[in-house]
Amino acid sequence: MTTVYRFDDAWLLANILNGEGTYLGPAAALEGLSEEHVHAKPHGLPHSIAEIVAHMCYWQEWFNACAESGFTGIPEHAPEGWPAPSNGGWAALRDRYLRAIENAKRIGAAGALDKPLLPAGVVIPPLANESRGSGILHGAVHASHHLGQIITMRQLMGLWPPPAGSMTW
């Protein structure tokens, strides 16, 4: 049997999902953006903020579903994990992503985080050692990487700090 990464501290998981003490949380980082802002690609960047949030949402929901109801498959190709956001749908996309984070915290609080993410017989080497808890944690770390990209994009567009402010050091 493969040993899975042990992760059973729901408080730590919620803390990381919220960005408490380490970085500005997702809700604050996405605050105050207009539909026009989120579809811009400043300085020729390959993705817009809306595209990045749709990507983060896809993967957070994927990890949540694996942890909650079990593995049902994984995209074969990277573009499948980058769904196109709809124009005029920014508020709904942002809210959907924030709900996915809340759902991850709920799953963490419910327990069973130490069970394997993948069922027996499914071989996906990058996920072979993941437990349900470590999978959700990896989703949060993935999102923090992309939130950093979004913050840089906001800085390039002169949209930083967000309305609620941010640490400056």
Side-chain angles (χ1 to χ4, degrees):
M1 175 175 191
T2 302
T3 302
V4 296
Y5 300 127
R6 183 165 156 62
F7 182 88
D8 58 5
D9 187 338
W11 176 86
L12 176 62
L13 178 60
N15 182 280
I16 290 169
L17 286 161
N18 287 335
E20 294 173 18
T22 55
Y23 62 91
L24 191 63
L30 300 174
E31 180 188 16
L33 293 167
S34 71
E35 192 75 33
E36 179 184 353
H37 295 144
V38 300
H39 291 287
K41 294 181 182 178
H43 300 272
L45 291 172
H47 299 289
S48 68
I49 290 172
E51 289 169 340
I52 293 170
V53 172
H55 171 71
M56 292 188 313
C57 188
Y58 177 91
W59 285 106
Q60 189 65 63
E61 289 175 342
W62 185 87
F63 277 113
N64 290 355
C66 285
E68 192 165 45
S69 51
F71 177 82
T72 60
I74 191 167
E76 271 189 60
H77 306 287
E80 296 170 45
W82 286 88
S86 62
N87 284 328
W90 168 242
L93 175 61
R94 181 196 60 232
D95 292 347
R96 181 177 153 206
Y97 175 63
L98 296 175
R99 279 192 309 275
I101 293 170
E102 291 303 313
N103 191 33
K105 291 190 293 188
R106 184 189 57 74
I107 293 166
L113 297 176
D114 60 339
K115 294 185 183 339
L117 185 71
L118 299 178
V122 173
V123 179
I124 303 171
L127 300 175
N129 297 95
E130 297 294 346
S131 66
R132 293 175 180 187
S134 70
I136 291 176
L137 179 62
H138 273 107
V141 171
H142 170 254
S144 69
H145 160 78
H146 287 301
L147 287 167
Q149 289 177 309
I150 290 169
I151 290 168
T152 299
M153 292 171 74
R154 289 186 70 149
Q155 290 168 332
L156 289 170
M157 293 187 285
L159 302 171
W160 194 256
S166 177
M167 293 182 271
T168 57
W169 48 275

